[in-house]
Amino acid sequence: MSWRFPLVIVSCIFSSVLFAKERPTVGLVLSGGGAKGAAHIGVLKVLEANNIPVDYIAGTSIGAYVAGMYALGYSASEIEAIMLSSDWSKGFSDTIPREQLSYRDKQQRDQFNIPISLGYSQGQLKGPTGLLQGQTMSQLLQYSTDLVEQFGDFDELAIPYRAVATDLVTSEAVVLSSGSIVQAMQASATVPGALQPAKINGRLLIDGGIANNMPVDVVKAMGADIIIAVDIGSPLARHEQLDSTIAVLEQLSNFLTNASSARQKALLTDNDIIIRPAIDSLSTTDFSIMGLAMSLGEQAATFQVTTLSRLSVTDAEFTTYQNNKKRKSHKWLNQIHRPLTAVKFDNQSKVSESLLKEKFDLKPGDVVTKETLDAALKRVYSLNKFERVDAEFDDTKAGRVLTLKTKAKSWGPNYLQAGFNWEDDFTLDSVVAISLAYTMTDLTDNDGEWRNELELGYKQLVATEFYQPLDRDQKFYSRNRYQYESRKNDIYDDQGRNLKFEKDASRFDFGIGYNYSDAGVVELGIVAETGELTNDAISMRNLDYSSVGGYFKLTYDTLNSISFPTEGNRFSLNAYLRDEDFKGIDLTNNGDLNWQIEADWKGALKLGHHAIVGKMALATVENDGNYTLQLSELGGFLNLSGFHKHALVGAHKVFGAFIYQYDLGRDVLITDLPLYIGMSLEGGNAWYDRELVDLDDLIYSGSLYLGTDTTWGPAALGFGLSDNGEKAFYLFIGKNF
């Protein structure tokens, strides 16, 4: 028995070597074509069904992705399951979901809702080199390929592999043959202008389709005797189709990819095989067509199965081929389940390593899964400080070494922000607001920032604020803010506007706070305000006042949208103790300390494409009536619908709402953009004097609306009606409510 086992091993090795030498080697070339790349899976299915081995493989763009997956050892059916279940549309957005942002960043995004990425430094405006930085796409690719290490040579893979990209500086084709397979895939598919160029070995790389969309020459150079080339490139548009700027730009792109493909096709011989699926009418960007594209690829390969069958091998030989692939892939796939021996940081930013460790939260001894790594990368990226966050594995004899790579935003460290909202109830004045901000960051070792704000429209505001984290982990902070605000308030009755007052005030806040989680803060501080009130209802039209006191703030916010949430909760509690002093009039409460308490809650529960949203707001001031400026307001859409904005004003407020919304867009229209149909039931009122507060005086109202939520903020068209006959139509663009 002992002499037979070595003989079997030698026999298997000899037969596999003989098998490799007796047949011609086959090289598979997969071209680029966006969403149409699923056609490559159909071709692979036919090759496997007919026992056709692939010895070398290369691809461009989406072809580089499918080729890389096959080279790692995945079967056609496994690639199908991964590729068709992935949400590729998410790969084309690097927007951090609101619920993942810190509390401070949530508030800033809500206010500055225009999604621009602009910075200013060294006397010039700066922006990213692509509309997207490729963060989400990188995580999607890493999730697909699992947590394989960086390879010294892609020849180590189950099938020797190459990805083709284009050098942005020289326009030359760049063949990627080692390193991170995720980076190679992404570099090959980096659409210029849309995605930031990938930087590998000092070169800026973009989509390989520009230089070589069907790399026949690359696979021939790898040693393939016979080439199978799959062409899914887009045809040139006809005259009547060139009717827009986008169509013209796509045509120019097709000029380059088709020219490069033509040069590669000229290298094919009579022994080579080219497969052209009937995918000309399919979109390169609509990933909903992937299932159809895969079927068309399978049909095209089946049509040529007679020609392809001359490359077939016996069942036994194909089993040997597949076993060899599995044996090679197990060398690195088995490493995935080993624990970490070290976690390293390649930190190209001013964020402290201790904060990165806290957010990354992966330690030596951990066995990392693709789910835990994906969550860890999201936690770090949600700090909103980085252009890219990546992770790479190196497998050693002792175990896995994980390196987190962080790169600061290249258009920083000073940033411009902008916001816009428009509110109209079709009866009186429209409310328009434009917000601008210029923020300087990295001013101190702990990432202190100085923000300057300007707001025009419904109110005029100029503000400056210095925010200083007090520790390297940015848990504790101090906040100093000064603002000047000029604001006009109108109070209405059923006859229209009947009272108008203006307030011009300077305010200073100094607070010490604690970020007890990403979702909330607690802050304690002092506030001082001085200003002038002009009020049609009092004999003295110009009333000077001042106030000084302390405040306490507790907040929590996990809503996934400020205006149309489907999940999460938002809560705030503000308590003030002030001394208010009115100049020129004799009031018995001048110089007294008075409490003001405000509490707000908003929560959402998702039920499929339906959501239930609740709102509640309470406010009270110890100093009642006309002798306090700390008034609360009701009125407007989903804030006692049917009334004008801020139609009800008082020192005391009670409000609650029950809202139902249905996502028609995602459920019926099958779009990525939500389209909500909603209705609300609301109740509330405001009173000047505490003794007048009576829940029997609550006003009830309801609304119907149609709205959407975009990266530019919400938009809605609604109608509100109250039980006392007040009614209004509402139009909102960019307005948070």
Side-chain angles (χ1 to χ4, degrees):
M1 181 69 68
S2 60
W3 60 271
R4 291 181 182 175
F5 182 72
L7 183 60
V8 170
I9 297 296
V10 172
S11 176
C12 287
I13 295 174
F14 179 76
S15 64
S16 64
V17 171
L18 186 63
F19 162 62
K21 289 186 179 237
E22 285 180 347
R23 66 176 182 84
T25 56
V26 177
L28 183 61
V29 178
L30 304 181
S31 71
K36 296 184 288 186
H40 294 317
I41 303 174
V43 173
L44 289 174
K45 284 186 170 184
V46 174
L47 297 183
E48 290 182 351
N50 289 275
N51 290 358
I52 299 173
V54 174
D55 302 290
Y56 306 98
I57 192 167
T60 297
S61 195
I62 192 68
Y65 169 78
V66 178
M69 295 288 284
Y70 205 58
L72 282 170
Y74 291 100
S75 67
S77 59
E78 289 172 331
I79 299 173
E80 175 189 358
I82 294 170
M83 191 171 180
L84 270 62
S85 64
S86 300
D87 190 349
W88 291 91
S89 60
K90 287 186 177 179
F92 293 91
S93 173
D94 285 329
T95 301
I96 302 170
R98 184 183 186 277
E99 63 271 22
Q100 295 177 11
L101 291 169
S102 69
Y103 179 82
R104 180 173 171 81
D105 283 340
K106 286 185 180 82
Q107 312 316 304
Q108 292 177 5
R109 179 183 291 182
D110 294 343
Q111 180 180 0
F112 304 104
N113 58 306
I114 299 177
I116 59 172
S117 298
L118 283 178
Y120 180 83
S121 61
Q122 300 176 337
Q124 61 180 348
L125 286 173
K126 296 181 179 180
T129 52
L131 295 176
L132 301 172
Q133 283 70 64
Q135 175 67 32
T136 309
M137 181 60 75
S138 175
Q139 287 184 237
L140 190 150
L141 293 175
Q142 191 156 42
Y143 199 89
S144 295
T145 58
D146 219 330
L147 309 182
V148 295
E149 67 167 335
Q150 293 196 86
F151 294 95
D153 193 326
F154 289 159
D155 285 345
E156 301 171 13
L157 300 178
I159 303 173
Y161 163 73
R162 301 290 185 269
V164 177
T166 301
D167 190 310
L168 183 59
V169 177
T170 66
S171 77
E172 296 174 343
V174 177
V175 179
L176 300 170
S177 60
S178 63
S180 166
I181 194 167
V182 170
Q183 288 185 13
M185 289 176 176
Q186 188 165 11
S188 182
T190 298
V191 179
L195 290 166
Q196 185 180 35
K199 190 172 183 179
I200 299 178
N201 298 327
R203 306 179 80 168
L204 293 177
L205 303 181
I206 57 174
D207 197 304
I210 297 172
N212 190 349
N213 197 47
M214 197 167 64
V216 172
D217 59 340
V218 173
V219 179
K220 282 184 174 289
M222 294 172 74
D225 297 319
I226 295 177
I227 300 294
I228 301 173
V230 185
D231 180 13
I232 60 166
S234 298
L236 295 178
R238 300 185 301 274
H239 182 278
E240 61 273 14
Q241 295 175 311
L242 300 173
D243 55 359
S244 68
T245 302
I246 294 177
V248 172
L249 292 175
E250 287 180 347
Q251 185 81 329
L252 293 175
S253 175
N254 290 338
F255 284 163
L256 297 172
T257 56
N258 288 0
S260 70
S261 294
R263 290 192 296 270
Q264 293 299 311
K265 289 176 184 177
L267 301 176
L268 296 173
T269 68
D270 293 339
N271 291 326
D272 299 322
I273 302 167
I274 186 166
I275 300 173
R276 171 71 184 179
I279 40 74
D280 288 357
S281 62
L282 301 185
S283 169
T284 59
T285 57
D286 181 5
F287 289 92
S288 67
I289 57 90
M290 294 179 75
L292 175 59
M294 185 180 68
S295 297
L296 293 174
E298 191 170 359
Q299 291 175 18
T302 302
F303 183 75
Q304 296 199 51
V305 72
T306 302
T307 305
L308 289 169
S309 61
R310 61 186 172 88
L311 302 175
S312 298
V313 297
T314 66
D315 289 343
E317 289 172 329
F318 196 68
T319 298
T320 300
Y321 163 78
Q322 289 181 313
N323 289 338
N324 286 338
K325 282 178 56 180
K326 289 179 181 179
R327 178 176 52 80
K328 290 180 180 179
S329 65
H330 284 165
K331 288 182 180 179
W332 61 83
L333 291 178
N334 289 340
Q335 301 292 328
I336 291 173
H337 307 293
R338 299 176 69 195
L340 298 177
T341 58
V343 178
K344 298 181 179 180
F345 295 89
D346 181 2
N347 183 20
Q348 301 174 32
S349 75
K350 291 191 176 182
V351 177
S352 70
E353 187 171 307
S354 61
L355 181 57
L356 292 178
K357 285 181 179 178
E358 177 190 340
K359 294 295 181 182
F360 199 44
D361 196 26
L362 295 176
K363 304 173 290 296
D366 291 347
V367 176
V368 181
T369 66
K370 59 184 181 181
E371 290 81 9
T372 56
L373 180 63
D374 188 62
L377 291 174
K378 287 178 179 176
R379 288 194 299 270
V380 175
Y381 190 63
S382 67
L383 287 171
N384 203 21
K385 304 288 186 183
F386 307 109
E387 185 171 303
R388 282 288 298 272
V389 175
D390 296 301
E392 294 294 348
F393 288 91
D394 288 304
D395 290 321
T396 67
K397 291 182 179 179
R400 312 205 84 191
V401 177
L402 174 59
T403 301
L404 176 69
K405 299 182 178 181
T406 53
K407 180 183 179 184
K409 296 177 181 178
S410 58
W411 57 96
N414 306 324
Y415 304 98
L416 295 168
Q417 294 171 287
F420 170 81
N421 67 68
W422 172 34
E423 177 180 352
D424 201 330
D425 61 13
F426 302 101
T427 55
L428 295 168
D429 299 330
S430 295
V431 176
V432 177
I434 298 173
S435 303
L436 301 170
Y438 177 63
T439 304
M440 291 173 279
T441 68
D442 295 341
L443 296 179
T444 65
D445 290 340
N446 291 345
D447 195 20
E449 64 178 46
W450 182 16
R451 176 182 301 274
N452 297 278
E453 300 175 15
L454 174 66
E455 186 171 333
L456 302 172
Y458 163 66
K459 66 179 180 181
Q460 291 78 49
L461 181 143
V462 178
T464 184
E465 178 179 293
F466 189 78
Y467 179 87
Q468 174 60 58
L470 300 178
D471 61 311
R472 294 293 285 166
D473 293 340
Q474 302 188 13
K475 290 293 187 182
F476 295 90
Y477 66 87
S478 67
R479 185 178 66 88
N480 297 273
R481 180 181 177 88
Y482 168 79
Q483 70 177 43
Y484 172 79
E485 178 182 4
S486 179
R487 178 176 174 180
K488 298 178 181 179
N489 276 51
D490 299 321
I491 300 178
Y492 302 85
D493 60 16
D494 55 3
Q495 302 299 318
R497 183 190 293 120
N498 70 354
L499 178 62
K500 182 175 183 178
F501 66 88
E502 300 179 12
K503 179 181 177 182
D504 298 289
S506 293
R507 172 171 167 163
F508 172 76
D509 295 61
F510 170 74
I512 299 292
Y514 173 60
N515 294 297
Y516 63 85
S517 76
D518 290 337
V521 302
V522 58
E523 184 175 309
L524 188 67
I526 59 174
V527 56
E529 185 175 326
T530 181
E532 180 182 78
L533 178 68
T534 301
N535 192 333
D536 293 338
I538 60 176
S539 57
M540 293 188 62
R541 296 182 58 83
N542 297 320
L543 177 63
D544 294 330
Y545 73 93
S546 64
S547 72
V548 63
Y551 69 87
F552 171 80
K553 177 172 70 174
L554 174 66
T555 63
Y556 178 82
D557 188 348
T558 58
L559 291 179
N560 59 354
S561 167
I562 187 62
S563 297
F564 293 113
T566 58
E567 294 178 295
N569 287 276
R570 185 175 188 266
F571 171 78
S572 67
L573 173 66
N574 296 293
Y576 297 88
L577 183 61
R578 291 189 181 92
D579 171 16
E580 292 184 334
D581 184 27
F582 298 88
K583 311 296 183 183
I585 57 176
D586 186 19
L587 299 174
T588 58
N589 56 7
N590 267 358
D592 292 342
L593 292 175
N594 299 288
W595 281 100
Q596 177 193 6
I597 298 176
E598 302 171 327
D600 291 274
W601 168 79
K602 188 175 186 178
L605 176 64
K606 185 177 182 181
L607 303 169
H609 292 286
H610 307 266
I612 304 299
V613 181
K615 291 178 66 176
M616 185 176 294
L618 302 170
T620 187
V621 180
E622 185 179 0
N623 190 8
D624 278 341
N626 294 325
Y627 306 125
T628 181
L629 296 177
Q630 314 308 325
L631 302 177
S632 298
E633 301 155 332
L634 277 175
F637 181 54
L638 298 182
N639 196 39
L640 215 56
S641 300
F643 286 85
H644 302 291
K645 180 183 177 70
H646 300 163
L648 303 174
V649 178
H652 312 279
K653 177 178 74 172
V654 174
F655 175 75
F658 175 87
I659 303 165
Y660 163 77
Q661 63 188 31
Y662 166 60
D663 189 349
L664 177 70
R666 292 193 177 104
D667 190 23
V668 177
L669 303 179
I670 317 298
T671 68
D672 292 327
L673 190 69
L675 181 62
Y676 297 111
I677 297 175
M679 60 171 289
S680 69
L681 297 174
E682 309 158 38
N685 206 343
W687 301 267
Y688 276 94
D689 297 313
R690 182 169 303 182
E691 61 266 19
L692 298 178
V693 175
D694 188 343
L695 295 183
D696 290 336
D697 293 336
L698 290 181
I699 301 169
Y700 297 96
S701 66
S703 71
L704 297 172
Y705 63 86
L706 185 68
T708 186
D709 212 352
T710 71
T711 54
W712 290 70
L717 179 65
F719 172 75
L721 177 67
S722 71
D723 64 349
N724 61 3
E726 295 287 341
K727 56 183 178 294
F729 285 93
Y730 300 102
L731 173 66
F732 296 93
I733 297 176
K735 166 72 174 150
N736 298 321
F737 43 80

